[in-house]
Amino acid sequence: MEIRSVGVVGAGQMGNGIAHVMALAGYEVCLNDIDQGALDKALALITRNLDRQVSREKISAAERDTALARIRTSLSLRDVAQTDLVIEAATEREEVKHKIFEALLPDLKPETILTSNTSSISITRLASRTDRPERFMGFHFMNPVPVMQLVELIRGIATDKDTYESCLSVVERLGKTAASAEDFPAFIVNRILMPMINEAVYTLYEGVGNVNSIDQSMKLGANHPMGPLELADFIGLDTCLAIMNVLHEGLADTKYRPCPLLTKYVEAGWLGRKTQRGFYDYRGEVPVPTR
């Protein structure tokens, strides 16, 4: 089917970026959240990011204005349900995602495709609780969405060919590249990335190096644009821990055991940039290592 309208559930870090790129690509977008303040904040951020693209001559002022006009916000999931493609981008907690899809079901159009932006949770399991497992798949964007070029497309065991091809056409229209992944814990990117971050935390935990030396070593020694601890702060330590738990539980292999220090930071509420403290303290002018 041809997709003309997109519903995005969740107006946080990922949701606002998805709404941004979808509107810029010509889709009518309905951005949903349970909090009006989050919707207002998301719209303001989308506007700033589009303004930045205009200032860098990536898009024209007219393209910015047209994209903004395509985005409407709503507190009601009924409005989202009437779109052609729904992308759930809520918090990385499976029970929350199940509740969202269950609430959407009564008002969905028969042809609507359901997708999740989950970075690790089983697509097959999410799809099994809906009335359309064949029209359900993973649609995993990378952060920050307007900048990153990759989208992981994850097929559940029941996902049909038409659903995959419809989602692939959306990715191509966005000007991004799709990586096709099978439905196993954490898919491709996070299956490889998160154990590296977790190992960096173990290296810190065991006193092999401090925050600065670990990040410098990977930036200068492996040519990574960001050190693993800096990247963990950017992603969110709670998200990193959630993905490591999915890997550990889903694959039953001790090599995926989350580092106790990562758990301790999350328990302290030191989640990285979003809380101003993680492996770095961001409350001053320059980030300062916390270890």
Side-chain angles (χ1 to χ4, degrees):
M1 68 174 279
E2 185 184 354
I3 292 168
R4 296 187 178 88
S5 58
V6 178
V8 181
V9 181
Q13 189 176 40
M14 297 302 293
N16 75 69
I18 295 167
H20 172 147
V21 298
M22 288 292 179
L24 204 53
Y27 295 103
E28 296 298 320
V29 177
C30 178
L31 179 60
N32 164 271
D33 202 278
I34 57 173
D35 176 40
Q36 184 60 49
L39 290 171
D40 295 340
K41 185 178 176 182
L43 210 51
L45 182 57
I46 292 168
T47 303
R48 286 200 303 274
N49 287 338
L50 286 167
D51 285 342
R52 187 178 296 114
Q53 286 180 298
V54 172
S55 69
R56 293 176 179 173
E57 299 184 346
K58 301 281 187 184
I59 62 172
S60 68
E63 286 173 318
R64 173 200 59 199
D65 297 342
T66 303
L68 283 171
R70 291 191 185 109
I71 301 173
R72 63 190 173 102
T73 60
S74 175
L75 294 169
S76 172
L77 282 173
R78 284 185 176 180
D79 294 330
V80 174
Q82 292 305 300
T83 59
D84 300 326
L85 169 67
V86 175
I87 302 174
E88 171 275 314
T91 185
E92 192 71 353
R93 287 166 52 201
E94 188 166 344
E95 65 273 19
V96 172
K97 295 179 187 297
H98 282 307
K99 286 178 182 177
I100 289 168
F101 289 121
E102 285 167 8
L104 283 167
L105 291 183
D107 301 301
L108 288 173
K109 299 188 296 182
E111 66 274 17
T112 296
I113 294 173
L114 293 178
T115 69
S116 176
N117 183 58
T118 179
S119 53
S120 62
I121 296 168
S122 168
I123 298 302
T124 297
R125 202 161 58 235
L126 290 174
S128 71
R129 298 271 289 270
T130 74
D131 64 351
R132 60 195 67 203
E134 72 287 346
R135 300 185 68 75
F136 192 112
M137 70 181 302
F139 209 129
H140 181 216
F141 288 86
M142 305 296 125
N143 184 38
V145 180
V147 175
M148 301 297 279
Q149 291 301 302
L150 186 77
V151 179
E152 284 183 315
L153 291 181
I154 306 103
R155 279 178 276 209
I157 198 168
T159 306
D160 65 25
K161 184 180 178 184
D162 288 345
T163 298
Y164 174 79
E165 289 182 349
S166 293
C167 290
L168 178 60
S169 70
V170 172
V171 175
E172 290 170 347
R173 183 165 159 181
L174 295 175
K176 296 187 183 294
T177 299
S180 182
E182 293 302 315
D183 185 24
F184 290 99
F187 320 130
I188 297 172
V189 173
N190 284 317
R191 172 75 178 264
I192 297 167
L193 175 64
M194 285 303 158
M196 184 196 76
I197 287 175
N198 193 52
E199 196 61 31
V201 183
Y202 266 115
T203 306
L204 179 65
Y205 175 63
E206 294 168 4
V208 180
N210 59 30
V211 168
N212 192 51
S213 64
I214 291 166
D215 276 352
Q216 271 196 340
S217 294
M218 294 309 293
K219 283 193 284 189
L220 301 180
N223 207 27
H224 289 193
M226 294 173 74
L229 301 175
E230 182 186 4
L231 180 57
D233 276 357
F234 179 75
I235 293 166
L237 303 193
D238 52 339
T239 300
C240 294
L241 179 60
I243 295 170
M244 286 309 302
N245 280 325
V246 166
L247 280 165
H248 191 220
E249 292 161 15
L251 297 171
D253 192 324
T254 55
K255 73 179 180 180
Y256 299 115
R257 183 171 67 94
C259 180
L261 184 60
L262 177 60
T263 302
K264 185 174 287 189
Y265 269 74
V266 173
E267 288 174 344
W270 290 20
L271 308 181
R273 284 183 176 271
K274 61 188 172 185
T275 59
Q276 296 295 295
R277 275 192 291 187
F279 293 114
Y280 293 86
D281 188 326
Y282 300 92
R283 292 174 297 175
E285 288 186 17
V286 177
V288 177
T290 54
R291 278 184 177 249

PDB file of all heavy atoms in Angstrom, residues 143-172:
ATOM      1  N   ASN A 143      19.843   7.446  16.697  1.00  0.00           N
ATOM      2  CA  ASN A 143      19.776   8.773  17.310  1.00  0.00           C
ATOM      3  C   ASN A 143      21.077   9.558  17.061  1.00  0.00           C
ATOM      4  O   ASN A 143      22.158   8.990  17.253  1.00  0.00           O
ATOM      5  CB  ASN A 143      19.554   8.593  18.821  1.00  0.00           C
ATOM      6  CG  ASN A 143      19.376   9.894  19.550  1.00  0.00           C
ATOM      7  OD1 ASN A 143      18.746  10.822  19.047  1.00  0.00           O
ATOM      8  ND2 ASN A 143      19.923   9.984  20.737  1.00  0.00           N
ATOM      9  N   PRO A 144      20.994  10.838  16.632  1.00  0.00           N
ATOM     10  CA  PRO A 144      19.804  11.651  16.356  1.00  0.00           C
ATOM     11  C   PRO A 144      19.210  11.350  14.969  1.00  0.00           C
ATOM     12  O   PRO A 144      19.955  11.251  13.982  1.00  0.00           O
ATOM     13  CB  PRO A 144      20.333  13.087  16.439  1.00  0.00           C
ATOM     14  CG  PRO A 144      21.792  12.989  16.105  1.00  0.00           C
ATOM     15  CD  PRO A 144      22.249  11.631  16.568  1.00  0.00           C
ATOM     16  N   VAL A 145      17.906  11.218  14.927  1.00  0.00           N
ATOM     17  CA  VAL A 145      17.219  10.747  13.715  1.00  0.00           C
ATOM     18  C   VAL A 145      17.490  11.607  12.479  1.00  0.00           C
ATOM     19  O   VAL A 145      17.760  11.062  11.397  1.00  0.00           O
ATOM     20  CB  VAL A 145      15.704  10.629  13.975  1.00  0.00           C
ATOM     21  CG1 VAL A 145      14.985  10.146  12.716  1.00  0.00           C
ATOM     22  CG2 VAL A 145      15.432   9.678  15.135  1.00  0.00           C
ATOM     23  N   PRO A 146      17.447  12.944  12.568  1.00  0.00           N
ATOM     24  CA  PRO A 146      17.672  13.732  11.342  1.00  0.00           C
ATOM     25  C   PRO A 146      19.084  13.584  10.759  1.00  0.00           C
ATOM     26  O   PRO A 146      19.285  13.829   9.571  1.00  0.00           O
ATOM     27  CB  PRO A 146      17.426  15.180  11.806  1.00  0.00           C
ATOM     28  CG  PRO A 146      16.562  15.059  13.015  1.00  0.00           C
ATOM     29  CD  PRO A 146      17.058  13.817  13.699  1.00  0.00           C
ATOM     30  N   VAL A 147      20.035  13.152  11.583  1.00  0.00           N
ATOM     31  CA  VAL A 147      21.435  13.074  11.152  1.00  0.00           C
ATOM     32  C   VAL A 147      21.839  11.669  10.712  1.00  0.00           C
ATOM     33  O   VAL A 147      22.514  11.482   9.702  1.00  0.00           O
ATOM     34  CB  VAL A 147      22.372  13.550  12.294  1.00  0.00           C
ATOM     35  CG1 VAL A 147      23.840  13.369  11.910  1.00  0.00           C
ATOM     36  CG2 VAL A 147      22.083  15.011  12.647  1.00  0.00           C
ATOM     37  N   MET A 148      21.420  10.668  11.466  1.00  0.00           N
ATOM     38  CA  MET A 148      21.877   9.298  11.231  1.00  0.00           C
ATOM     39  C   MET A 148      21.195   8.682  10.011  1.00  0.00           C
ATOM     40  O   MET A 148      19.990   8.819   9.830  1.00  0.00           O
ATOM     41  CB  MET A 148      21.640   8.433  12.465  1.00  0.00           C
ATOM     42  CG  MET A 148      22.358   8.957  13.706  1.00  0.00           C
ATOM     43  SD  MET A 148      24.157   8.947  13.536  1.00  0.00           S
ATOM     44  CE  MET A 148      24.497   7.244  13.889  1.00  0.00           C
ATOM     45  N   GLN A 149      21.991   7.986   9.207  1.00  0.00           N
ATOM     46  CA  GLN A 149      21.520   7.511   7.902  1.00  0.00           C
ATOM     47  C   GLN A 149      20.914   6.109   7.911  1.00  0.00           C
ATOM     48  O   GLN A 149      20.296   5.700   6.939  1.00  0.00           O
ATOM     49  CB  GLN A 149      22.685   7.542   6.898  1.00  0.00           C
ATOM     50  CG  GLN A 149      23.137   8.952   6.538  1.00  0.00           C
ATOM     51  CD  GLN A 149      21.994   9.764   5.926  1.00  0.00           C
ATOM     52  OE1 GLN A 149      21.419   9.385   4.914  1.00  0.00           O
ATOM     53  NE2 GLN A 149      21.663  10.873   6.561  1.00  0.00           N
ATOM     54  N   LEU A 150      21.082   5.375   9.006  1.00  0.00           N
ATOM     55  CA  LEU A 150      20.631   3.977   9.024  1.00  0.00           C
ATOM     56  C   LEU A 150      19.274   3.815   9.700  1.00  0.00           C
ATOM     57  O   LEU A 150      18.975   4.486  10.690  1.00  0.00           O
ATOM     58  CB  LEU A 150      21.649   3.111   9.769  1.00  0.00           C
ATOM     59  CG  LEU A 150      21.357   1.608   9.714  1.00  0.00           C
ATOM     60  CD1 LEU A 150      21.756   1.029   8.351  1.00  0.00           C
ATOM     61  CD2 LEU A 150      22.071   0.866  10.836  1.00  0.00           C
ATOM     62  N   VAL A 151      18.465   2.900   9.155  1.00  0.00           N
ATOM     63  CA  VAL A 151      17.243   2.430   9.811  1.00  0.00           C
ATOM     64  C   VAL A 151      17.265   0.907   9.767  1.00  0.00           C
ATOM     65  O   VAL A 151      17.438   0.318   8.702  1.00  0.00           O
ATOM     66  CB  VAL A 151      15.966   2.937   9.100  1.00  0.00           C
ATOM     67  CG1 VAL A 151      14.723   2.399   9.798  1.00  0.00           C
ATOM     68  CG2 VAL A 151      15.931   4.465   9.062  1.00  0.00           C
ATOM     69  N   GLU A 152      17.120   0.284  10.926  1.00  0.00           N
ATOM     70  CA  GLU A 152      17.004  -1.174  10.958  1.00  0.00           C
ATOM     71  C   GLU A 152      15.545  -1.564  10.734  1.00  0.00           C
ATOM     72  O   GLU A 152      14.657  -1.060  11.431  1.00  0.00           O
ATOM     73  CB  GLU A 152      17.461  -1.729  12.312  1.00  0.00           C
ATOM     74  CG  GLU A 152      18.961  -1.765  12.495  1.00  0.00           C
ATOM     75  CD  GLU A 152      19.367  -2.383  13.823  1.00  0.00           C
ATOM     76  OE1 GLU A 152      18.755  -2.047  14.858  1.00  0.00           O
ATOM     77  OE2 GLU A 152      20.305  -3.189  13.837  1.00  0.00           O
ATOM     78  N   LEU A 153      15.283  -2.427   9.768  1.00  0.00           N
ATOM     79  CA  LEU A 153      13.951  -2.976   9.544  1.00  0.00           C
ATOM     80  C   LEU A 153      13.971  -4.419  10.037  1.00  0.00           C
ATOM     81  O   LEU A 153      14.730  -5.238   9.522  1.00  0.00           O
ATOM     82  CB  LEU A 153      13.583  -2.926   8.059  1.00  0.00           C
ATOM     83  CG  LEU A 153      13.354  -1.532   7.463  1.00  0.00           C
ATOM     84  CD1 LEU A 153      12.979  -1.640   5.990  1.00  0.00           C
ATOM     85  CD2 LEU A 153      12.258  -0.774   8.232  1.00  0.00           C
ATOM     86  N   ILE A 154      13.135  -4.701  11.038  1.00  0.00           N
ATOM     87  CA  ILE A 154      13.159  -6.018  11.674  1.00  0.00           C
ATOM     88  C   ILE A 154      11.838  -6.741  11.436  1.00  0.00           C
ATOM     89  O   ILE A 154      10.774  -6.250  11.830  1.00  0.00           O
ATOM     90  CB  ILE A 154      13.419  -5.903  13.194  1.00  0.00           C
ATOM     91  CG1 ILE A 154      14.693  -5.098  13.467  1.00  0.00           C
ATOM     92  CG2 ILE A 154      13.515  -7.287  13.831  1.00  0.00           C
ATOM     93  CD1 ILE A 154      14.453  -3.682  13.919  1.00  0.00           C
ATOM     94  N   ARG A 155      11.924  -7.878  10.787  1.00  0.00           N
ATOM     95  CA  ARG A 155      10.733  -8.693  10.538  1.00  0.00           C
ATOM     96  C   ARG A 155      10.490  -9.653  11.690  1.00  0.00           C
ATOM     97  O   ARG A 155      11.393 -10.388  12.094  1.00  0.00           O
ATOM     98  CB  ARG A 155      10.905  -9.489   9.244  1.00  0.00           C
ATOM     99  CG  ARG A 155      10.615  -8.677   8.005  1.00  0.00           C
ATOM    100  CD  ARG A 155      10.832  -9.483   6.753  1.00  0.00           C
ATOM    101  NE  ARG A 155      12.241  -9.470   6.381  1.00  0.00           N
ATOM    102  CZ  ARG A 155      12.689  -9.569   5.140  1.00  0.00           C
ATOM    103  NH1 ARG A 155      11.846  -9.719   4.144  1.00  0.00           N
ATOM    104  NH2 ARG A 155      13.978  -9.522   4.882  1.00  0.00           N
ATOM    105  N   GLY A 156       9.249  -9.666  12.194  1.00  0.00           N
ATOM    106  CA  GLY A 156       8.849 -10.698  13.138  1.00  0.00           C
ATOM    107  C   GLY A 156       8.589 -11.979  12.368  1.00  0.00           C
ATOM    108  O   GLY A 156       8.611 -11.997  11.127  1.00  0.00           O
ATOM    109  N   ILE A 157       8.300 -13.050  13.070  1.00  0.00           N
ATOM    110  CA  ILE A 157       8.109 -14.335  12.411  1.00  0.00           C
ATOM    111  C   ILE A 157       6.908 -14.310  11.457  1.00  0.00           C
ATOM    112  O   ILE A 157       6.866 -15.051  10.474  1.00  0.00           O
ATOM    113  CB  ILE A 157       7.967 -15.464  13.467  1.00  0.00           C
ATOM    114  CG1 ILE A 157       8.201 -16.834  12.826  1.00  0.00           C
ATOM    115  CG2 ILE A 157       6.639 -15.394  14.196  1.00  0.00           C
ATOM    116  CD1 ILE A 157       8.371 -17.961  13.825  1.00  0.00           C
ATOM    117  N   ALA A 158       5.925 -13.419  11.724  1.00  0.00           N
ATOM    118  CA  ALA A 158       4.711 -13.382  10.904  1.00  0.00           C
ATOM    119  C   ALA A 158       4.687 -12.235   9.887  1.00  0.00           C
ATOM    120  O   ALA A 158       3.773 -12.165   9.068  1.00  0.00           O
ATOM    121  CB  ALA A 158       3.485 -13.283  11.813  1.00  0.00           C
ATOM    122  N   THR A 159       5.651 -11.330   9.934  1.00  0.00           N
ATOM    123  CA  THR A 159       5.644 -10.160   9.046  1.00  0.00           C
ATOM    124  C   THR A 159       5.620 -10.593   7.582  1.00  0.00           C
ATOM    125  O   THR A 159       6.445 -11.398   7.156  1.00  0.00           O
ATOM    126  CB  THR A 159       6.884  -9.273   9.280  1.00  0.00           C
ATOM    127  OG1 THR A 159       6.965  -8.935  10.661  1.00  0.00           O
ATOM    128  CG2 THR A 159       6.802  -7.992   8.459  1.00  0.00           C
ATOM    129  N   ASP A 160       4.656 -10.036   6.807  1.00  0.00           N
ATOM    130  CA  ASP A 160       4.579 -10.441   5.403  1.00  0.00           C
ATOM    131  C   ASP A 160       5.425  -9.540   4.502  1.00  0.00           C
ATOM    132  O   ASP A 160       5.919  -8.483   4.919  1.00  0.00           O
ATOM    133  CB  ASP A 160       3.128 -10.540   4.915  1.00  0.00           C
ATOM    134  CG  ASP A 160       2.385  -9.216   4.891  1.00  0.00           C
ATOM    135  OD1 ASP A 160       3.035  -8.152   4.782  1.00  0.00           O
ATOM    136  OD2 ASP A 160       1.141  -9.239   4.959  1.00  0.00           O
ATOM    137  N   LYS A 161       5.586  -9.989   3.262  1.00  0.00           N
ATOM    138  CA  LYS A 161       6.453  -9.314   2.302  1.00  0.00           C
ATOM    139  C   LYS A 161       5.965  -7.903   1.984  1.00  0.00           C
ATOM    140  O   LYS A 161       6.767  -6.963   1.882  1.00  0.00           O
ATOM    141  CB  LYS A 161       6.532 -10.147   1.023  1.00  0.00           C
ATOM    142  CG  LYS A 161       7.484  -9.587  -0.024  1.00  0.00           C
ATOM    143  CD  LYS A 161       7.514 -10.461  -1.267  1.00  0.00           C
ATOM    144  CE  LYS A 161       8.426  -9.874  -2.348  1.00  0.00           C
ATOM    145  NZ  LYS A 161       8.394 -10.672  -3.588  1.00  0.00           N
ATOM    146  N   ASP A 162       4.650  -7.725   1.821  1.00  0.00           N
ATOM    147  CA  ASP A 162       4.102  -6.407   1.488  1.00  0.00           C
ATOM    148  C   ASP A 162       4.403  -5.383   2.579  1.00  0.00           C
ATOM    149  O   ASP A 162       4.699  -4.219   2.288  1.00  0.00           O
ATOM    150  CB  ASP A 162       2.586  -6.494   1.262  1.00  0.00           C
ATOM    151  CG  ASP A 162       2.241  -7.196  -0.043  1.00  0.00           C
ATOM    152  OD1 ASP A 162       3.142  -7.358  -0.894  1.00  0.00           O
ATOM    153  OD2 ASP A 162       1.075  -7.588  -0.212  1.00  0.00           O
ATOM    154  N   THR A 163       4.311  -5.807   3.832  1.00  0.00           N
ATOM    155  CA  THR A 163       4.598  -4.906   4.955  1.00  0.00           C
ATOM    156  C   THR A 163       6.057  -4.469   4.922  1.00  0.00           C
ATOM    157  O   THR A 163       6.370  -3.277   5.061  1.00  0.00           O
ATOM    158  CB  THR A 163       4.277  -5.603   6.286  1.00  0.00           C
ATOM    159  OG1 THR A 163       2.880  -5.925   6.318  1.00  0.00           O
ATOM    160  CG2 THR A 163       4.611  -4.713   7.475  1.00  0.00           C
ATOM    161  N   TYR A 164       6.945  -5.431   4.725  1.00  0.00           N
ATOM    162  CA  TYR A 164       8.368  -5.105   4.645  1.00  0.00           C
ATOM    163  C   TYR A 164       8.639  -4.132   3.492  1.00  0.00           C
ATOM    164  O   TYR A 164       9.345  -3.127   3.670  1.00  0.00           O
ATOM    165  CB  TYR A 164       9.200  -6.373   4.460  1.00  0.00           C
ATOM    166  CG  TYR A 164      10.668  -6.083   4.232  1.00  0.00           C
ATOM    167  CD1 TYR A 164      11.500  -5.765   5.299  1.00  0.00           C
ATOM    168  CD2 TYR A 164      11.207  -6.084   2.941  1.00  0.00           C
ATOM    169  CE1 TYR A 164      12.840  -5.467   5.092  1.00  0.00           C
ATOM    170  CE2 TYR A 164      12.547  -5.791   2.740  1.00  0.00           C
ATOM    171  CZ  TYR A 164      13.356  -5.487   3.808  1.00  0.00           C
ATOM    172  OH  TYR A 164      14.676  -5.175   3.595  1.00  0.00           O
ATOM    173  N   GLU A 165       8.079  -4.390   2.335  1.00  0.00           N
ATOM    174  CA  GLU A 165       8.345  -3.549   1.164  1.00  0.00           C
ATOM    175  C   GLU A 165       7.751  -2.152   1.331  1.00  0.00           C
ATOM    176  O   GLU A 165       8.346  -1.170   0.872  1.00  0.00           O
ATOM    177  CB  GLU A 165       7.827  -4.229  -0.096  1.00  0.00           C
ATOM    178  CG  GLU A 165       8.683  -5.451  -0.475  1.00  0.00           C
ATOM    179  CD  GLU A 165       8.233  -6.132  -1.750  1.00  0.00           C
ATOM    180  OE1 GLU A 165       7.135  -5.806  -2.254  1.00  0.00           O
ATOM    181  OE2 GLU A 165       8.993  -7.003  -2.239  1.00  0.00           O
ATOM    182  N   SER A 166       6.605  -2.050   1.998  1.00  0.00           N
ATOM    183  CA  SER A 166       6.019  -0.731   2.267  1.00  0.00           C
ATOM    184  C   SER A 166       6.923   0.083   3.181  1.00  0.00           C
ATOM    185  O   SER A 166       7.160   1.274   2.949  1.00  0.00           O
ATOM    186  CB  SER A 166       4.631  -0.880   2.909  1.00  0.00           C
ATOM    187  OG  SER A 166       3.714  -1.443   2.008  1.00  0.00           O
ATOM    188  N   CYS A 167       7.451  -0.558   4.217  1.00  0.00           N
ATOM    189  CA  CYS A 167       8.348   0.141   5.141  1.00  0.00           C
ATOM    190  C   CYS A 167       9.679   0.474   4.473  1.00  0.00           C
ATOM    191  O   CYS A 167      10.242   1.550   4.707  1.00  0.00           O
ATOM    192  CB  CYS A 167       8.567  -0.695   6.395  1.00  0.00           C
ATOM    193  SG  CYS A 167       7.102  -0.806   7.451  1.00  0.00           S
ATOM    194  N   LEU A 168      10.162  -0.418   3.633  1.00  0.00           N
ATOM    195  CA  LEU A 168      11.399  -0.157   2.896  1.00  0.00           C
ATOM    196  C   LEU A 168      11.238   1.066   1.992  1.00  0.00           C
ATOM    197  O   LEU A 168      12.149   1.907   1.899  1.00  0.00           O
ATOM    198  CB  LEU A 168      11.780  -1.377   2.058  1.00  0.00           C
ATOM    199  CG  LEU A 168      13.045  -1.247   1.193  1.00  0.00           C
ATOM    200  CD1 LEU A 168      14.271  -0.966   2.057  1.00  0.00           C
ATOM    201  CD2 LEU A 168      13.255  -2.519   0.368  1.00  0.00           C
ATOM    202  N   SER A 169      10.087   1.212   1.370  1.00  0.00           N
ATOM    203  CA  SER A 169       9.855   2.363   0.488  1.00  0.00           C
ATOM    204  C   SER A 169       9.842   3.670   1.283  1.00  0.00           C
ATOM    205  O   SER A 169      10.274   4.712   0.785  1.00  0.00           O
ATOM    206  CB  SER A 169       8.536   2.202  -0.291  1.00  0.00           C
ATOM    207  OG  SER A 169       7.425   2.320   0.565  1.00  0.00           O
ATOM    208  N   VAL A 170       9.371   3.605   2.528  1.00  0.00           N
ATOM    209  CA  VAL A 170       9.387   4.796   3.394  1.00  0.00           C
ATOM    210  C   VAL A 170      10.831   5.187   3.702  1.00  0.00           C
ATOM    211  O   VAL A 170      11.208   6.361   3.607  1.00  0.00           O
ATOM    212  CB  VAL A 170       8.604   4.544   4.702  1.00  0.00           C
ATOM    213  CG1 VAL A 170       8.789   5.713   5.673  1.00  0.00           C
ATOM    214  CG2 VAL A 170       7.122   4.348   4.408  1.00  0.00           C
ATOM    215  N   VAL A 171      11.648   4.207   4.067  1.00  0.00           N
ATOM    216  CA  VAL A 171      13.062   4.473   4.377  1.00  0.00           C
ATOM    217  C   VAL A 171      13.753   5.113   3.174  1.00  0.00           C
ATOM    218  O   VAL A 171      14.503   6.093   3.310  1.00  0.00           O
ATOM    219  CB  VAL A 171      13.797   3.176   4.790  1.00  0.00           C
ATOM    220  CG1 VAL A 171      15.293   3.448   4.996  1.00  0.00           C
ATOM    221  CG2 VAL A 171      13.196   2.603   6.065  1.00  0.00           C
ATOM    222  N   GLU A 172      13.492   4.589   1.994  1.00  0.00           N
ATOM    223  CA  GLU A 172      14.108   5.128   0.774  1.00  0.00           C
ATOM    224  C   GLU A 172      13.640   6.551   0.501  1.00  0.00           C
ATOM    225  O   GLU A 172      14.431   7.402   0.086  1.00  0.00           O
ATOM    226  CB  GLU A 172      13.790   4.209  -0.404  1.00  0.00           C
ATOM    227  CG  GLU A 172      14.527   2.870  -0.311  1.00  0.00           C
ATOM    228  CD  GLU A 172      14.061   1.850  -1.331  1.00  0.00           C
ATOM    229  OE1 GLU A 172      12.988   2.075  -1.963  1.00  0.00           O
ATOM    230  OE2 GLU A 172      14.753   0.822  -1.505  1.00  0.00           O
TER     231      GLU A 172
END
